[in-house]
Amino acid sequence: MRMQGRTVLVTGGTRGTGRAIAQELITRGNRVNFLEEAIPGPRLQAEIATNFTAPVLLTALLLPVLAARSQAAIVNVTSALALTPKASAPVYCASKAALASLTRSLRYQVAGTSVQVLEVMPPLVNTEMAGDRRARKVEPEDVARALVRGLEQNRPEVAVGQARWLKRIHRWAPILAARILRDT
């Protein structure tokens, strides 16, 4: 790649590491666009708010209340797409992956307390969001029953239906898992 005369977008380029990268690229004769006040579309903001921001804020607000109980749990619903993304839903996949990471971090933070942190990872669920998609779906009630079993067994993660297989494939052959979902 020729390192001059290019136009480069550096996300996070307004400070820290991103800024240093942007400055280095400018020094080498490239043009960098700093978008400090870029506001994504409402749909993008809503998806991130629903899938990630809301769980973060709710957990931060209610964790002290939960920690005061003799038995408490935080349940985060991620997705099989948190393991490996698919082309048609990049923001959804990324926000669910962020929630999965948050869930693991919370689990480390509350270790030794009365709070159990559980991630439930369903495949495509027969809900309004799934719409008319003809792919194989599980029923919401099946996800709920699997979650309750996971809580009863003190399991940190519950993969439901086809998500169990994807999780296994991803553990042993992540490239294969990516190929399975990439273009779906």
Side-chain angles (χ1 to χ4, degrees):
M1 174 186 250
R2 196 177 79 212
M3 290 311 305
Q4 62 182 8
R6 294 190 165 277
T7 301
V8 182
L9 168 66
V10 179
T11 60
T14 59
R15 62 180 166 233
T17 303
R19 185 173 187 87
I21 291 168
Q23 288 174 332
E24 181 67 22
L25 289 168
I26 290 168
T27 301
R28 293 176 181 250
N30 297 284
R31 185 170 159 235
V32 179
N33 302 318
F34 290 91
L35 299 176
E36 296 181 30
E37 296 296 320
I39 299 173
R43 183 173 167 224
L44 174 68
Q45 290 177 331
E47 189 161 22
I48 293 169
T50 299
N51 292 338
F52 185 66
T53 307
V56 169
L57 295 175
L58 282 170
T59 301
L61 181 66
L62 295 174
L63 189 56
V65 174
L66 294 171
R69 304 283 190 241
S70 61
Q71 289 189 335
I74 297 169
V75 175
N76 285 331
V77 180
T78 64
S79 168
L81 298 175
L83 296 172
T84 186
K86 67 178 196 170
S88 63
V91 173
Y92 177 84
C93 297
S95 63
K96 289 298 187 172
L99 183 59
S101 181
L102 173 77
T103 303
R104 285 188 292 277
S105 295
L106 285 171
R107 197 174 297 128
Y108 302 150
Q109 287 186 350
V110 300
T113 73
S114 62
V115 180
Q116 180 182 356
V117 180
L118 187 130
E119 174 186 4
V120 62
M121 182 185 297
L124 185 62
V125 181
N126 190 16
T127 62
E128 188 178 305
M129 185 179 128
D132 297 342
R133 295 186 26 208
R134 296 179 188 218
R136 200 161 142 198
K137 302 172 192 169
V138 299
E139 294 301 317
E141 296 79 13
D142 294 332
V143 176
R145 283 190 288 274
L147 165 70
V148 170
R149 282 192 304 275
L151 283 169
E152 290 173 338
Q153 298 167 0
N154 293 318
R155 291 173 48 203
E157 298 174 356
V158 174
V160 181
Q162 294 167 306
R164 286 188 307 240
W165 292 108
L166 183 63
K167 189 172 178 183
R168 288 180 184 136
I169 292 168
H170 186 265
R171 182 179 307 137
W172 298 106
I175 293 172
L176 176 59
R179 279 191 201 137
I180 290 169
L181 285 179
R182 179 182 56 214
D183 297 323
T184 60

